[in-house]
Amino acid sequence: MLVLLPPSEGKASSGRGAPVKLESLSLPGLTGARQAVLDELVELCAADEDKAREVLGLSEGLRGEVAKNTELRTAGARPAGEIYTGVLYDALDLASLDTAAKRRAGRSLLVFSGLWGAVRVTDRIPSYRCSMGVKLPGLGALGAHWRTPMATALPEAAGDGLVLDLRSSAYASAWKPKGEVAGRTATVRVLHSQIVNGIEKRSVVSHFNKATKGKIVRSLLTAGAAPKSPAELVEALRDLGYVVEAEAPGRAGRPWALDVVVTEIH
């Protein structure tokens, strides 16, 4: 099973160890594209702080993020699972998983990134600021920049197993499963169910969508679940206590759409 995750805007500080080594990161087919983004991002942030803030979409209060980007080549790196913070990663709580679950996380979790393309949670990276929605002056829109190398690297990473796609739309733009891979891909939407005047009302949640997705991934890792298809994933999630409604694709080459229905959001 390959689980595709979005990153977090907020990140922990860089480590004190050796700096990032692009050649050591997972998905080596992305190395050239990573180098191109890294070079332009560092150059942009070092040359003109105000322009860099505008390009990166940062407020005045986040000016320090520009300075952080200038040191990406020399800053200490730490596992990506420690760098990414925020609602989804708080709910996932990788640090508290037992040894077996951590090994499963290292094999199955892939975090998408505007700077790195996609990394495993065990890959060592520095803290950075560069979302997939950024349009760099030289490279253009990052979503488009990553599509060509991702078209080869991601199907290889997926192998012949299930793909659980939990990315937000901006990060999904970098790679969309096609053909046979799409047929064994499942996307998840979280719906909040409430009874209002005796009638069930459902709404899409945002903040709690991330928390629920983090909990889903943690549940699968902790249980050692290994579904091989979207249909098996539905059964695994139901066995774990989730209310899941599944919609098989109407035609071949399309992903499954899963709704996880929650009655409490916290």
Side-chain angles (χ1 to χ4, degrees), residues 67-138:
K68 182 168 68 176
N69 281 348
T70 66
E71 300 174 350
L72 286 171
R73 294 194 185 96
T74 57
R78 59 197 291 195
E82 297 177 13
I83 290 288
Y84 295 114
T85 59
V87 177
L88 188 153
Y89 293 91
D90 285 347
L92 175 52
D93 195 7
L94 286 167
S96 69
L97 293 174
D98 63 33
T99 301
K102 284 181 180 177
R103 284 199 297 267
R104 288 190 284 271
R107 292 194 302 266
S108 62
L109 305 189
L110 200 62
V111 185
F112 273 61
S113 161
L115 172 54
W116 313 113
V119 292
R120 297 195 184 276
V121 292
T122 51
D123 285 331
R124 299 181 65 84
I125 59 173
S127 184
Y128 67 96
R129 192 66 174 241
C130 184
S131 70
M132 191 65 79
V134 164
K135 185 176 182 180
L136 291 175

Side-chain angles (χ1 to χ4, degrees), residues 250-264:
R251 63 179 187 273
R254 303 281 292 179
W256 282 55
L258 275 57
D259 284 342
V260 174
V261 183
V262 297
T263 56
E264 296 182 1

Side-chain angles (χ1 to χ4, degrees), residues 45-265:
C45 292
D48 189 329
E49 186 178 88
D50 289 330
K51 181 179 180 181
R53 272 202 310 116
E54 179 182 353
V55 169
L56 297 175
L58 301 177
S59 66
E60 174 67 29
L62 293 173
R63 184 177 289 272
E65 298 292 290
V66 176
K68 182 168 68 176
N69 281 348
T70 66
E71 300 174 350
L72 286 171
R73 294 194 185 96
T74 57
R78 59 197 291 195
E82 297 177 13
I83 290 288
Y84 295 114
T85 59
V87 177
L88 188 153
Y89 293 91
D90 285 347
L92 175 52
D93 195 7
L94 286 167
S96 69
L97 293 174
D98 63 33
T99 301
K102 284 181 180 177
R103 284 199 297 267
R104 288 190 284 271
R107 292 194 302 266
S108 62
L109 305 189
L110 200 62
V111 185
F112 273 61
S113 161
L115 172 54
W116 313 113
V119 292
R120 297 195 184 276
V121 292
T122 51
D123 285 331
R124 299 181 65 84
I125 59 173
S127 184
Y128 67 96
R129 192 66 174 241
C130 184
S131 70
M132 191 65 79
V134 164
K135 185 176 182 180
L136 291 175
L139 292 177
L142 290 179
H145 171 75
W146 287 112
R147 282 180 203 137
T148 297
M150 289 275 191
T152 300
L154 264 293
E156 289 178 355
D160 58 1
L162 167 71
V163 178
L164 174 54
D165 190 351
L166 302 179
R167 298 172 296 166
S168 55
S169 58
Y171 290 89
S173 69
W175 180 66
K176 295 183 179 179
K178 296 180 180 179
E180 179 270 325
V181 178
R184 46 187 166 86
T185 296
T187 62
V188 171
R189 181 175 64 164
V190 180
L191 298 178
H192 181 213
S193 173
Q194 294 176 288
I195 303 299
V196 180
N197 297 325
I199 300 174
E200 183 190 28
K201 302 287 186 179
R202 290 184 176 183
S203 58
V204 177
V205 294
S206 54
H207 175 88
F208 302 102
N209 166 64
K210 297 176 183 178
T212 300
K213 287 179 177 179
K215 291 175 183 176
I216 286 172
V217 176
R218 182 179 177 85
S219 296
L220 291 168
L221 293 173
T222 302
K228 295 180 173 58
S229 68
E232 289 186 16
L233 173 64
V234 172
E235 293 307 311
L237 290 175
R238 287 173 177 167
D239 288 344
L240 290 168
Y242 292 94
V243 176
V244 183
E245 297 176 355
E247 181 181 341
R251 63 179 187 273
R254 303 281 292 179
W256 282 55
L258 275 57
D259 284 342
V260 174
V261 183
V262 297
T263 56
E264 296 182 1
I265 49 178

